[in-house]
């Protein structure tokens, strides 16, 4: 049984989607811990209600990123994870931390990477006049919002969309895309080589949102 540790900073909706999928689809894996850098993260209560161990590693209690990452790694490693899942974890990680979990740490970003890395992705997509938006699951690399792409979901930008409407539409797709990608990992269906990710069964790694939902 593989072990998953999820890192969150807020409401934990993607974490909850992963937990629900792991149970409903009978994965050979379970989320064993949820860790946040914020004690007030709403996702901690969701995890606790499901009987999942939780912990807080407050970034404000550490003088620099290196010391915070060292404390975070200690909290993660206490659960001996096979995979670390970033689900709305709003901290920039040091290269040393990323190397520690190389090839076994995933993130989801609310854009079609490599476009619109960083913050305010939906606002920037609207300002650029994009007709399509979406979400990307990728293995984490030292460069922010880069790293080998696992899967993507494409969401239409509709006439009259504002930032909130587009964000909500993308989030619905995220809640399907992320569990699917994590499920592939725990079933050993992903191959990572030369900076590219392929599916061992040649399954599609991208979808229109209408195909996901």
């Amino acid at each position: 049984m593989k072990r998953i540790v999820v890192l969150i900073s807020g409401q934990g909706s993607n974490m909850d989607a992963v937990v629900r999928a792991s149970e409903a689809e009978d994965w050979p894996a379970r989320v064993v811990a949820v860790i946040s850098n914020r004690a007030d993260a709403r996702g901690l209560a969701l995890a606790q209600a499901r009987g999942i161990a939780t912990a807080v590693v407050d970034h404000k209690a550490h003088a620099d990123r290196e010391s915070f990452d060292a404390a975070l790694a200690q909290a993660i490693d206490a659960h001996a994870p096979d995979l670390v899942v970033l689900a709305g974890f709003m901290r920039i990680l040091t290269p040393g931390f990323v190397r520690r979990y190389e090839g076994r740490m995933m993130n989801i970003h609310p854009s079609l990477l490599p476009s619109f890395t960083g913050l305010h992705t939906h606002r920037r997509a609207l300002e650029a006049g994009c007709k399509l938006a979406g979400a990307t699951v990728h293995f984490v690399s030292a460069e922010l919002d880069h790293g080998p792409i696992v899967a993507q979901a494409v969401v239409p930008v509709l006439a009259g969309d504002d930032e909130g409407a587009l964000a909500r539409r993308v989030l619905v797709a995220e809640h399907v895309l992320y569990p699917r990608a994590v499920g592939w990992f725990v079933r050993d269906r992903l191959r990572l080589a030369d900076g590219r990710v392929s599916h061992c069964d040649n399954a599609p790694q991208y979808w229109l949102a209408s195909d996901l939902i």
Side-chain angles (χ1 to χ4, degrees), residues 69-109:
D69 280 6
L72 181 61
Q74 185 177 21
I76 292 169
D77 291 349
H79 299 279
D82 298 282
L83 179 66
V84 178
V85 170
L86 308 185
F89 186 67
M90 304 302 290
R91 299 297 301 169
I92 295 175
L93 301 168
T94 58
F97 184 93
V98 172
R99 284 194 299 272
R100 187 186 193 100
Y101 302 104
E102 186 173 6
R104 56 191 185 103
M105 181 161 61
M106 284 184 177
N107 182 48
I108 190 163
H109 184 73

Side-chain angles (χ1 to χ4, degrees), residues 34-98:
V34 174
I35 301 172
S36 178
N37 64 305
R38 297 175 57 95
D40 61 350
R42 290 173 58 193
L44 292 172
L46 286 177
Q48 291 163 1
R50 290 185 166 273
I52 299 170
T54 61
V56 175
V57 182
D58 186 352
H59 62 279
K60 294 179 181 178
H62 297 272
D64 50 38
R65 286 180 179 165
E66 287 74 15
S67 60
F68 168 71
D69 280 6
L72 181 61
Q74 185 177 21
I76 292 169
D77 291 349
H79 299 279
D82 298 282
L83 179 66
V84 178
V85 170
L86 308 185
F89 186 67
M90 304 302 290
R91 299 297 301 169
I92 295 175
L93 301 168
T94 58
F97 184 93
V98 172

Side-chain angles (χ1 to χ4, degrees), residues 56-212:
V56 175
V57 182
D58 186 352
H59 62 279
K60 294 179 181 178
H62 297 272
D64 50 38
R65 286 180 179 165
E66 287 74 15
S67 60
F68 168 71
D69 280 6
L72 181 61
Q74 185 177 21
I76 292 169
D77 291 349
H79 299 279
D82 298 282
L83 179 66
V84 178
V85 170
L86 308 185
F89 186 67
M90 304 302 290
R91 299 297 301 169
I92 295 175
L93 301 168
T94 58
F97 184 93
V98 172
R99 284 194 299 272
R100 187 186 193 100
Y101 302 104
E102 186 173 6
R104 56 191 185 103
M105 181 161 61
M106 284 184 177
N107 182 48
I108 190 163
H109 184 73
S111 78
L112 296 174
L113 294 175
S115 297
F116 306 123
T117 61
L119 299 175
H120 309 302
T121 57
H122 308 300
R123 181 190 312 168
R124 290 155 63 199
L126 291 169
E127 290 172 349
C130 292
K131 307 307 179 188
L132 296 172
T136 303
V137 177
H138 63 99
F139 284 107
V140 178
S141 68
E143 188 175 359
L144 180 66
D145 295 330
H146 285 72
I149 291 173
V150 177
Q152 293 182 304
V154 179
V155 172
V157 179
L158 303 180
D161 267 350
D162 59 16
E163 190 175 352
L166 181 56
R168 288 188 291 273
R169 191 176 308 116
V170 171
L171 187 61
V172 171
E174 288 180 38
H175 291 167
V176 183
L177 181 71
Y178 211 2
R180 190 167 296 185
V182 174
W184 284 347
F185 181 94
V186 300
R187 293 188 178 102
D188 299 318
R189 305 321 298 154
L190 296 177
R191 183 185 299 110
L192 174 59
D194 300 322
R196 294 181 180 273
V197 182
S198 58
H199 193 285
C200 294
D201 302 322
N202 296 316
Q205 291 172 255
Y206 64 92
W207 298 272
L208 298 176
S210 57
D211 297 328
L212 279 172

